Amino acid sequence: MFEDLRAFIAGLEEAGELVRIREELSPLYEIPAAIREVDKQTGSAVFFEQVKGYPIPVVGNLLARRSRLALAMGIPEKELVSEYTARRQRSIPPQIIDQAPIKEVIIDKDVRIADVIPVLTHHQRDVGPYFTTAVTMAKDPVTGLRGMGVHRIQVKGDDTLGVFLATPPMSHFFQKAEERGQPLEVAIAIGLDPITFFSSIVWAPEGVDKFEIAGGLAGRPIELVKAETVDIEVPARAEFILEGIVLPGRREKEGPFGESTGYYFSFDNPVIQVRLISHRRDPIYHALMPFTQEETILIDLSWEMDHLKTLQVTLPQVRRMHLRSLGEIAIIQIAKESEESVAEVFRTLLPSNPFVKVAIVIDTDVDIDDPHEIEWVVATRFRPRQDLTVMDDLPGVMIDPSTWGGERTQDSSLLITRTSKVGIDATKPLGELERYEK
């Protein structure tokens, strides 16, 4: 297993999965453009040795292929789903240590984020530099339980950040702190080992410690160390940690920023005051380019494996599920028992999952891993007059520009928009199985 980002980079290079770019490139547009181009051409991870204006290299496109997530877990790619499912059944608590590489350099006076970290400006209309791999960590102000997640973060000033807190647990933690008129202490980690970074994105009920999930996936405890100025434990081998507070009662425009869905969005969002930056000697900045294959791998793969288990509790005829386009397209494979089986899938999935907008149900004789077969079965088994289901006024996600509204949930922890959704029944009619034999 790879204990930190550096070890994983070395492992990728040894496996022939990493390319080095030695030409000096700017963090303003040039490095992001190169990451996107490499993603399209070869899918390799890419290491930028010379970053204009900084002595710090940048690495990107790390987990843009399923094979590299399998490498991070130390397993063959064909075992990724089964092994992930098995390891998710066990949790290994993190280990708190006293000394850690992340404390090698500490900046606690005259903090100037942009002078220290080569944060990228990704798109033409982006308002400025954005952290896209920043893992934000905090504790529930009432229970003290730990939570973390990846949230887009804008560099707004020398020591101020704008953060898009639209999903729990972070949104819930901030709501509780703000109701008490208190700031929320946060720590932001950049440059984690691949398993901890991946675990920060997986779906988990609030109250579940994602460091325990990471430990189970890695097969060892994740090492944490106490932060300097906030009551939070942080990854001991991260490349950078920013410590600060989310200010109560303050909102500022954040954005526009080119989001995962391929569109620009702006919001009025909370502000973080950064008090301290710590980093390793000779740090490496980890970047992720939005709207690329890497986001699809990270989000779709983790969410599909966890949401499949939830769906199977209600609908045991469901065999497999794949998510596409950041979870907005779901392909569900079922062992069809009656003509009502597909309608049950639509009624269960579409109203309950704000991310899924299009659901396609297929038979077990269709290879769910083959996009050609999915297209074929929709073209030949889907009968629009009988097999199309449209459901209106269901929960959607804010970063989909076709949704409307923008009301918070009852506990104010999640921003939900409304949308119409569609279900496509691409299964064989039970009375005509011979006609549709593959």
Side-chain angles (χ1 to χ4, degrees), residues 321-336:
M321 179 169 73
H322 269 187
L323 297 179
R324 297 285 187 268
S325 299
L326 302 174
E328 293 207 82
I329 298 175
I331 303 166
I332 303 101
Q333 187 183 64
I334 67 170
K336 188 174 174 181

Side-chain angles (χ1 to χ4, degrees), residues 5 43 70 97 132 134 137 141-142 174 219 243 245 264:
L5 175 63
I97 63 176
T132 53
M137 297 162 286
V142 176
F174 182 54
E243 301 178 15
I245 55 173
Y264 292 99

Side-chain angles (χ1 to χ4, degrees), residues 243-263:
E243 301 178 15
I245 55 173
V246 188
L247 302 172
R250 180 173 167 182
R251 301 291 189 278
E252 293 181 1
K253 182 180 178 182
E254 177 262 305
F257 173 67
E259 260 289 359
S260 307
T261 50
Y263 297 94

Side-chain angles (χ1 to χ4, degrees), residues 81-102:
V81 173
S82 60
E83 188 64 20
Y84 173 86
T85 303
R87 294 188 191 186
R88 277 288 270 117
Q89 305 308 309
R90 63 176 185 262
S91 297
I92 299 179
Q95 178 184 357
I96 309 299
I97 63 176
D98 295 327
Q99 303 294 325
I102 188 56

Side-chain angles (χ1 to χ4, degrees), residues 165-187:
L165 294 179
T167 54
M170 292 298 119
S171 58
H172 206 177
F173 292 176
F174 182 54
Q175 177 202 0
K176 291 182 179 182
E178 197 167 43
E179 286 173 351
R180 291 161 176 75
Q182 301 171 350
L184 178 69
E185 292 187 336
V186 294

Side-chain angles (χ1 to χ4, degrees), residues 1 48 82 87 90 121 134 155 162 211 217 265 276 338 353 420:
M1 292 298 175
F48 300 90
S82 60
R87 294 188 191 186
R90 63 176 185 262
T121 303
V155 179
F211 285 118
L217 294 180
F265 287 92
L276 176 146
S338 71
N353 190 313
S420 299

Side-chain angles (χ1 to χ4, degrees), residues 65-252:
R65 296 295 181 269
R66 292 167 69 107
S67 60
R68 297 210 283 275
L69 183 57
L71 176 66
M73 293 180 65
I75 57 174
E77 183 180 353
K78 64 182 180 181
E79 298 177 11
L80 187 58
V81 173
S82 60
E83 188 64 20
Y84 173 86
T85 303
R87 294 188 191 186
R88 277 288 270 117
Q89 305 308 309
R90 63 176 185 262
S91 297
I92 299 179
Q95 178 184 357
I96 309 299
I97 63 176
D98 295 327
Q99 303 294 325
I102 188 56
K103 301 294 187 75
E104 289 172 344
V105 179
I106 293 178
I107 303 168
D108 58 1
K109 293 181 177 61
D110 194 24
V111 173
R112 297 178 182 271
I113 300 164
D115 288 351
V116 179
I117 308 174
V119 191
L120 306 185
T121 303
H122 302 80
H123 310 105
Q124 182 180 7
R125 283 188 53 213
D126 286 357
V127 71
Y130 267 83
F131 290 106
T132 53
T133 61
V135 177
T136 302
M137 297 162 286
K139 290 183 178 178
D140 188 311
V142 176
T143 67
L145 291 175
R146 186 165 42 218
M148 67 176 178
V150 174
H151 299 266
R152 74 186 224 185
I153 296 177
Q154 176 192 343
V155 179
K156 298 177 72 74
D158 287 343
D159 61 353
T160 56
L161 304 168
V163 60
F164 183 32
L165 294 179
T167 54
M170 292 298 119
S171 58
H172 206 177
F173 292 176
F174 182 54
Q175 177 202 0
K176 291 182 179 182
E178 197 167 43
E179 286 173 351
R180 291 161 176 75
Q182 301 171 350
L184 178 69
E185 292 187 336
V186 294
I188 300 165
I190 300 119
L192 302 177
D193 71 88
I195 295 299
T196 303
F197 179 67
F198 179 71
S199 299
S200 73
I201 296 168
V202 303
W203 180 88
E206 192 165 332
V208 172
D209 189 345
K210 289 188 177 180
F211 285 118
E212 294 190 7
I213 294 176
L217 294 180
R220 57 172 175 79
I222 303 301
E223 291 185 339
L224 304 179
V225 65
K226 289 186 178 297
E228 293 288 310
T229 64
V230 294
D231 182 24
I232 301 172
E233 297 78 35
V234 300
R237 298 179 182 277
E239 296 293 323
F240 293 93
I241 295 288
L242 287 73
E243 301 178 15
I245 55 173
V246 188
L247 302 172
R250 180 173 167 182
R251 301 291 189 278
E252 293 181 1

Side-chain angles (χ1 to χ4, degrees), residues 305-370:
M305 289 187 281
D306 288 311
H307 285 299
L308 173 62
K309 293 182 293 184
T310 303
L311 193 60
Q312 287 174 330
V313 170
T314 307
L315 302 170
Q317 65 265 39
V318 172
R319 295 294 179 263
R320 292 187 62 189
M321 179 169 73
H322 269 187
L323 297 179
R324 297 285 187 268
S325 299
L326 302 174
E328 293 207 82
I329 298 175
I331 303 166
I332 303 101
Q333 187 183 64
I334 67 170
K336 188 174 174 181
E337 298 172 353
S338 71
E339 294 299 350
E340 184 66 13
S341 295
V342 176
E344 287 183 51
V345 172
F346 297 152
R347 287 196 298 266
T348 301
L349 180 64
L350 294 178
S352 64
N353 190 313
F355 294 92
V356 176
K357 188 175 179 182
V358 178
I360 303 170
V361 179
I362 62 173
D363 293 301
T364 54
D365 67 337
V366 180
D367 184 354
I368 197 171
D369 298 312
D370 186 343

